[in-house]
Amino acid sequence: MAGHFHLNTPLLESSAMSKLAGTGVYLKMENSQPSGSFKIRGIGHLCQQLASQSKGVVCSSGGNAGMAAAFAARRMGVPATIVVPSSSPQLVVQRLQDQGAAVKIVGKVWDDANTEALRLAEAEGLTYVPPFDHPLLWRGHATMMAEVAASLGPGVKPGAVLLSVGGGGLLCGVVQGLEDVGWVDVPIIAMETVGADCFNAAVKAGRLVTLDDITSEAKCLGAKTVCQKAFEHSRRSDLSIISELVTDQQALHAIQAFLDDERVLVEMACGAALAAVYSGLIGRLQDEARLPARLGPLVVIVCGGSSVDMQQLANLKVKLHT
Ligand code: PLV
């Protein structure tokens, strides 16, 4: 992918998290991407493929896909409109505007904003940029696993990859990346919060499930229905995808512990993945023999996110009584 917008991010060993997990924990620092999250990999790639001649792009987003679309569009000299739901914090709206995007606030959750983005694309002839459901996004996200393989070095294979699931685009990209490097047998721990758990609901039901509402504070995990491809991956017998949930309190605790341990502030959507280590979930999965007792290095996708600052963190602590 020549001339792409994303960076090759560091893979950092965390001594604090390694101690907790009882095996090496390696952090793929996607929080340090331009636009603040891994989303620039896929969205940058999609925009370069589909929007170079465009009169404008329109993206529906909880925030971070929009940040990536606004960044890519600005670099390409194309106007960007980002449609976010009212649940996205004001600080995200401000950051999107600072990236030069026009922001529309429509509906309560991402699904409502998406309906409006599709309408705008049709009515105004704009290029629609989906936040998680497109093969070009997965192709772009997949690049992170080739980087992980290069950073770990030859002969070192992860014991598991830990990531968050919103609409499932990151999951689809990581599956593709694992295929690219010949690691399909590496288990994926797919984390969501209670109340933003459309993937877990689909895995349990054996079919796609549309949630009634998003009740978690991890709004960037808040798609009501996971994408079809992510669900299909969950049914594959050659993959091992373990779908697990944490509470908002556990995700928030993980954010705070991570800030203390690594001096890095990430949003709730990312806290869900970090909580797999901080809540002791890895040990429980080993006790239940769902992960081997002797586990290779854990790779945590630190997906990042712009929906957080010290004030937002303080607000969450009050709201979640922690
Ligand atoms: N957020 C999407 C979808 O929101 C968005 O519009 O930004 N970590 C972070 C920081 C994210 O922002 C997201 C997705 C995810 C993880 C999950 O990625 P996905 O949607 O590809 O599973 C509704």
Side-chain angles (χ1 to χ4, degrees), residues 60-139:
S60 56
S61 178
N64 297 310
M67 287 294 292
F71 178 88
R74 188 166 55 79
R75 289 280 292 268
M76 294 169 69
V78 168
T81 303
I82 313 299
V83 190
V84 298
S86 59
S87 57
S88 294
Q90 176 57 32
L91 83 110
V92 171
V93 174
Q94 186 61 52
R95 284 177 175 164
L96 286 166
Q97 288 167 342
D98 291 346
Q99 278 292 338
V103 181
K104 278 192 87 170
I105 302 170
V106 177
K108 181 169 176 271
V109 300
W110 171 81
D111 301 71
D112 309 328
N114 190 47
T115 304
E116 172 64 9
L118 288 165
R119 190 196 65 77
L120 270 178
E122 179 74 27
E124 299 186 13
L126 304 174
T127 305
Y128 170 67
V129 177
F132 53 77
D133 193 4
H134 198 291
L136 289 171
L137 299 178
W138 310 331
R139 178 79 262 145

Side-chain angles (χ1 to χ4, degrees), residues 39-80:
K39 292 265 176 187
I40 190 63
R41 290 184 188 266
I43 287 184
H45 182 53
L46 180 138
C47 287
Q48 285 183 314
Q49 296 293 312
L50 301 184
S52 58
Q53 306 298 321
S54 174
K55 65 181 229 195
V57 300
V58 58
C59 176
S60 56
S61 178
N64 297 310
M67 287 294 292
F71 178 88
R74 188 166 55 79
R75 289 280 292 268
M76 294 169 69
V78 168

Side-chain angles (χ1 to χ4, degrees), residues 13 15 38 53 95 99 136 176 221 252 258 266 279 299:
E13 185 173 7
S15 49
F38 73 97
Q53 306 298 321
R95 284 177 175 164
Q99 278 292 338
L136 289 171
Q176 203 162 322
L221 300 185
L252 180 57
F258 191 69
V266 295
S279 73
V299 172

Side-chain angles (χ1 to χ4, degrees), residues 1-320:
M1 278 179 205
H4 50 66
F5 296 132
H6 67 264
L7 303 177
N8 186 336
T9 54
L11 186 72
L12 302 179
E13 185 173 7
S14 166
S15 49
M17 292 175 80
S18 298
K19 211 161 136 189
L20 275 175
T23 183
V25 172
Y26 290 83
L27 306 167
K28 185 61 175 160
M29 300 298 277
E30 291 297 295
N31 60 296
S32 60
Q33 288 290 2
S35 83
S37 80
F38 73 97
K39 292 265 176 187
I40 190 63
R41 290 184 188 266
I43 287 184
H45 182 53
L46 180 138
C47 287
Q48 285 183 314
Q49 296 293 312
L50 301 184
S52 58
Q53 306 298 321
S54 174
K55 65 181 229 195
V57 300
V58 58
C59 176
S60 56
S61 178
N64 297 310
M67 287 294 292
F71 178 88
R74 188 166 55 79
R75 289 280 292 268
M76 294 169 69
V78 168
T81 303
I82 313 299
V83 190
V84 298
S86 59
S87 57
S88 294
Q90 176 57 32
L91 83 110
V92 171
V93 174
Q94 186 61 52
R95 284 177 175 164
L96 286 166
Q97 288 167 342
D98 291 346
Q99 278 292 338
V103 181
K104 278 192 87 170
I105 302 170
V106 177
K108 181 169 176 271
V109 300
W110 171 81
D111 301 71
D112 309 328
N114 190 47
T115 304
E116 172 64 9
L118 288 165
R119 190 196 65 77
L120 270 178
E122 179 74 27
E124 299 186 13
L126 304 174
T127 305
Y128 170 67
V129 177
F132 53 77
D133 193 4
H134 198 291
L136 289 171
L137 299 178
W138 310 331
R139 178 79 262 145
H141 296 339
T143 55
M144 76 177 74
M145 292 319 298
E147 291 173 19
V148 168
S151 298
L152 286 177
V156 186
K157 197 174 181 176
V161 176
L162 280 55
L163 51 77
S164 305
V165 179
L170 176 58
L171 174 63
C172 291
V174 165
V175 167
Q176 203 162 322
L178 290 175
E179 287 170 344
D180 290 344
V181 299
W183 283 350
V184 273
D185 55 334
V186 171
I188 297 173
I189 321 280
M191 301 298 301
E192 296 172 286
T193 50
V194 175
D197 46 0
C198 62
F199 180 63
N200 190 260
V203 168
K204 280 185 181 148
R207 61 178 167 79
L208 286 181
V209 170
T210 299
L211 305 175
D212 290 337
D213 195 10
I214 302 301
T215 53
S216 167
E217 290 302 321
K219 298 302 177 194
C220 275
L221 300 185
K224 286 189 188 173
T225 318
V226 78
C227 69
Q228 173 74 28
K229 191 70 170 178
F231 173 66
E232 285 170 13
H233 286 322
S234 77
R235 311 280 286 179
R236 279 172 56 177
S237 56
D238 60 333
L239 294 174
S240 162
I241 302 178
I242 301 172
S243 167
E244 290 289 329
L245 302 181
V246 287
T247 62
D248 276 4
Q249 281 79 9
Q250 286 173 314
L252 180 57
H253 170 261
I255 290 176
Q256 295 176 84
F258 191 69
L259 179 57
D260 284 342
D261 288 340
E262 308 300 327
R263 288 88 52 212
V264 171
L265 181 58
V266 295
E267 69 169 69
M268 287 288 277
C270 184
L274 299 172
V277 171
Y278 283 111
S279 73
L281 173 72
I282 298 298
R284 277 203 301 286
L285 291 174
Q286 288 176 299
D287 292 345
E288 294 167 9
R290 295 169 71 197
L291 283 176
R294 275 176 58 90
L295 195 57
L298 298 175
V299 172
V300 184
I301 309 299
V302 182
C303 43
S306 292
S307 305
V308 69
D309 60 10
M310 292 309 279
Q311 186 57 54
Q312 180 69 10
L313 186 60
N315 296 347
L316 283 168
K317 283 168 78 164
V318 172
K319 211 164 174 182
L320 297 173

